[in-house]
Amino acid sequence: MTISATLSSHGKILMSPLRKSEWANQPVLCKSVELFKNGRNEYRMSTNSNKFQCRALEIENKSSTKFHLDDVIESQQFDRETLSAIFEVAQEMEKIEKNSIGGRSEILKGYLMATLFYEPSTRTRLSFESSMKRLGGEVLTTENAREFSSAAKGETLEDTIRTVEGYSDIIVMRHFESGAARRAALTASIPIINAGDGPGQHPTQALLDVYTIGREIGKLDGINIALVGDLAYGRTVRSLAHLLALYKDVKIYFVSPDVVKMKDDIKDYLTSMGVRWEESADLIEVASKCDVVYQTRIQRERFGERVDLYEEARGKYIVDMSVVNAMQKHAVVMHPLPRLDEITVDVDGDPRAAYFRQAKNGLYIRMALLKLLLLGW
């Protein structure tokens, strides 16, 4: 007999059999039940008579049950407790990658992830695909959906999502329009992960950034951080600012050319959250005060035809050894990558250069998110 089930926020499975049963629609507590994903929060399971065929997934109503994650769309959806929980899972994923045979697990065996990227990406797309494969899942991918998918024929985003969700269990999407990920999530019945939506947000990058800061500095409360470069269009710094506001006694320095200054919505949000922030034109002075110097690329693609504005902004603030030498010994340089010339290559050999370690941390965070979205706790 096959029944449908909905997983409640309290860990209960609410049964709705396809034919009448004496226990129809009664909350049933289940443990180690084999569930088959059939849409968001909906599952199908097999049962022999009134006994469940059990395997794999632990589900029971415990006081320690943690948050339920449907989608990853923006940084504002997370609170501090949720971040700590995600980071715990990321540490478990790090152990899997380092200690298991071939750096692989089979916990997502049978699941399919679709990567739908309307903008170019190397690190984000490959780290998600690597994450899925290291957890035993499979990947369907399109690298440039803007040109090489039905979007080029004029298909709407909503129609694309409705189609792709029929082939997969989770969609990771990068789009050139701010707010596209939210539209996708409202359309889809499977989880959506925002891998960057234009100048809007990049929440998984912000998660791995905060995870990296905690690992490198040893704390998240009481830190000073400089956000440098393209702050107007840099979705990574916008998302990061939202998460930093969850921590105590944080001060943020904005260092950028005038044409790409941090926008007022982020400044107003930080002020409302009691976060101290300051704008400065002196990178070396700021670097000497900070635990983290977070450099970003001036993004040519965000300037359109205004090449003159791009040239005005490009190359004004560069992290070189003069900046690194001004930094404290425990401080680190971070960058979401790719870099052009905004961090000189001689910085790479300094132990304070954390950007490649930062990129590797993206694997663990994304493994954690895939596990939580598809299997829960």
Side-chain angles (χ1 to χ4, degrees), residues 6-117:
T6 300
L7 180 62
S8 78
S9 60
H10 300 294
K12 291 183 178 180
I13 300 178
L14 306 180
M15 303 299 185
S16 299
L18 297 182
R19 61 176 183 264
K20 291 182 179 180
S21 170
E22 61 183 2
W23 39 265
N25 298 314
Q26 296 299 313
V28 178
L29 282 179
C30 304
K31 186 174 183 179
S32 300
V33 179
E34 183 175 14
L35 299 177
F36 303 93
K37 192 69 180 287
N38 187 42
R40 182 173 305 177
N41 292 344
E42 297 177 2
Y43 298 80
R44 299 176 69 82
M45 67 178 71
S46 296
T47 176
N48 182 10
S49 184
N50 287 338
K51 295 182 179 180
F52 298 131
Q53 298 173 344
C54 297
R55 192 180 68 190
L57 188 62
E58 293 283 328
I59 301 177
E60 62 179 335
N61 193 10
K62 297 179 179 179
S63 60
S64 61
T65 298
K66 298 181 181 179
F67 68 94
H68 180 74
L69 198 60
D70 285 324
D71 305 287
V72 176
I73 303 301
E74 60 185 7
S75 291
Q76 297 95 303
Q77 75 184 80
F78 300 107
D79 57 25
R80 183 168 172 156
E81 182 180 3
T82 302
L83 294 186
S84 296
I86 292 172
F87 297 161
E88 286 179 16
V89 179
Q91 290 177 354
E92 295 173 11
M93 297 299 107
E94 186 170 352
K95 293 176 184 177
I96 287 175
E97 191 265 341
K98 290 181 177 179
N99 300 328
S100 59
I101 298 175
R104 288 175 59 90
S105 166
E106 295 296 321
I107 64 173
L108 293 186
K109 185 176 181 179
Y111 286 91
L112 277 169
M113 178 186 75
T115 53
L116 193 59
F117 278 60

Side-chain angles (χ1 to χ4, degrees), residues 45 113 254 263 299 350:
M45 67 178 71
M113 178 186 75
F254 299 128
K263 294 182 179 179
Q299 302 176 83
D350 192 285

Side-chain angles (χ1 to χ4, degrees), residues 88-154:
E88 286 179 16
V89 179
Q91 290 177 354
E92 295 173 11
M93 297 299 107
E94 186 170 352
K95 293 176 184 177
I96 287 175
E97 191 265 341
K98 290 181 177 179
N99 300 328
S100 59
I101 298 175
R104 288 175 59 90
S105 166
E106 295 296 321
I107 64 173
L108 293 186
K109 185 176 181 179
Y111 286 91
L112 277 169
M113 178 186 75
T115 53
L116 193 59
F117 278 60
Y118 291 80
E119 284 188 328
S121 170
T122 301
R123 273 149 300 276
T124 302
R125 183 173 64 85
L126 291 183
S127 69
F128 266 114
E129 293 179 5
S130 176
S131 296
M132 190 64 172
K133 288 180 178 291
R134 287 185 181 278
L135 293 176
E138 298 294 333
V139 175
L140 306 172
T141 186
T142 175
E143 184 176 357
N144 193 346
R146 191 173 188 176
E147 296 180 18
F148 301 115
S149 75
S150 293
K153 303 175 184 178

Side-chain angles (χ1 to χ4, degrees), residues 222-281:
I223 65 167
N224 294 336
I225 179 169
L227 303 182
V228 186
D230 186 349
L231 307 186
Y233 304 112
R235 57 193 172 204
T236 63
V237 290
R238 293 175 58 82
S239 291
L240 179 56
H242 279 287
L243 294 189
L244 290 173
L246 299 174
Y247 296 92
K248 299 176 182 178
D249 195 27
V250 170
K251 182 168 184 179
I252 302 176
Y253 293 88
F254 299 128
V255 183
S256 66
D258 288 340
V259 294
V260 286
K261 283 192 171 187
M262 180 59 80
K263 294 182 179 179
D264 288 341
D265 64 324
I266 296 295
K267 295 175 185 175
D268 292 343
Y269 177 78
L270 293 174
T271 299
S272 72
M273 295 291 289
V275 178
R276 295 171 297 143
W277 59 268
E278 178 182 321
E279 292 182 309
S280 176

Side-chain angles (χ1 to χ4, degrees), residues 110-363:
Y111 286 91
L112 277 169
M113 178 186 75
T115 53
L116 193 59
F117 278 60
Y118 291 80
E119 284 188 328
S121 170
T122 301
R123 273 149 300 276
T124 302
R125 183 173 64 85
L126 291 183
S127 69
F128 266 114
E129 293 179 5
S130 176
S131 296
M132 190 64 172
K133 288 180 178 291
R134 287 185 181 278
L135 293 176
E138 298 294 333
V139 175
L140 306 172
T141 186
T142 175
E143 184 176 357
N144 193 346
R146 191 173 188 176
E147 296 180 18
F148 301 115
S149 75
S150 293
K153 303 175 184 178
E155 183 176 59
T156 66
L157 174 63
E158 286 76 9
D159 281 2
T160 299
I161 294 298
R162 291 187 184 101
T163 301
V164 174
E165 73 174 348
Y167 310 146
S168 58
D169 302 294
I170 188 168
I171 296 173
V172 179
M173 188 182 80
R174 170 168 290 186
H175 204 276
F176 50 88
E177 291 181 355
S178 180
R182 180 173 293 281
R183 287 168 53 200
L186 291 172
T187 301
S189 62
I190 64 175
I192 299 290
I193 298 179
N194 180 5
D197 57 343
Q201 287 218 29
H202 196 347
T204 68
Q205 179 70 48
L207 288 170
L208 75 89
D209 289 342
V210 175
Y211 183 68
T212 299
I213 293 169
R215 297 294 294 273
E216 295 283 335
I217 305 301
K219 63 178 183 177
L220 288 162
D221 291 315
I223 65 167
N224 294 336
I225 179 169
L227 303 182
V228 186
D230 186 349
L231 307 186
Y233 304 112
R235 57 193 172 204
T236 63
V237 290
R238 293 175 58 82
S239 291
L240 179 56
H242 279 287
L243 294 189
L244 290 173
L246 299 174
Y247 296 92
K248 299 176 182 178
D249 195 27
V250 170
K251 182 168 184 179
I252 302 176
Y253 293 88
F254 299 128
V255 183
S256 66
D258 288 340
V259 294
V260 286
K261 283 192 171 187
M262 180 59 80
K263 294 182 179 179
D264 288 341
D265 64 324
I266 296 295
K267 295 175 185 175
D268 292 343
Y269 177 78
L270 293 174
T271 299
S272 72
M273 295 291 289
V275 178
R276 295 171 297 143
W277 59 268
E278 178 182 321
E279 292 182 309
S280 176
D282 191 332
L283 177 56
I284 289 182
E285 180 186 3
V286 167
S288 69
K289 302 175 182 178
C290 287
D291 303 285
V292 180
V293 174
Y294 190 100
Q295 175 71 290
T296 65
R297 172 177 63 93
I298 303 296
Q299 302 176 83
R300 170 68 181 84
E301 62 270 27
R302 306 297 179 205
F303 285 83
E305 299 300 319
R306 294 303 305 272
V307 179
D308 57 324
L309 294 179
Y310 169 71
E311 293 297 336
E312 179 183 337
R314 179 173 174 267
K316 187 166 185 180
Y317 293 106
I318 295 176
V319 173
D320 55 19
M321 287 307 299
S322 66
V323 174
V324 174
N325 288 335
M327 295 169 59
Q328 301 171 71
K329 293 298 182 184
H330 75 277
V332 293
V333 178
M334 295 173 59
H335 192 303
L337 303 177
R339 68 168 165 186
L340 298 180
D341 56 1
E342 64 274 3
I343 300 178
T344 58
V345 294
D346 56 345
V347 173
D348 296 354
D350 192 285
R352 287 166 290 189
Y355 29 89
F356 294 117
R357 299 192 295 272
Q358 175 186 357
K360 184 61 180 283
N361 286 335
L363 177 68

